[in-house]
Amino acid sequence: MRRGSPVDQLLTLLFMLLAIGAVVCYFAVPSNPAVYWILGGLAVLLRITHYILRFF
């Protein structure tokens, strides 16, 4: 995958949305941290997959 390709931009956008969602849930729902951990974990897994697809 090349840098700047449509798939690259889509994965970056999805990562940013998941990361922002995790931060919002961290402050909006402090009584249930599971939502924060799930969204944050998905964001990290997506970013790792993104880097693997980009460099290999």
Side-chain angles (χ1 to χ4, degrees):
M1 172 178 11
R2 290 183 356 164
R3 203 174 184 136
S5 69
V7 175
D8 183 56
Q9 292 177 352
L10 178 66
L11 289 175
T12 301
L13 178 66
L14 287 174
F15 165 74
M16 288 183 187
L17 290 174
L18 284 171
I20 290 169
V23 171
V24 168
C25 287
Y26 180 77
F27 290 108
V29 191
S31 62
N32 188 8
V35 177
Y36 162 73
W37 286 109
I38 290 170
L39 288 178
L42 285 173
V44 170
L45 286 175
L46 181 68
R47 195 55 159 185
I48 290 171
T49 304
H50 183 210
Y51 280 125
I52 288 172
L53 289 174
R54 184 187 291 174
F55 293 115
F56 294 109

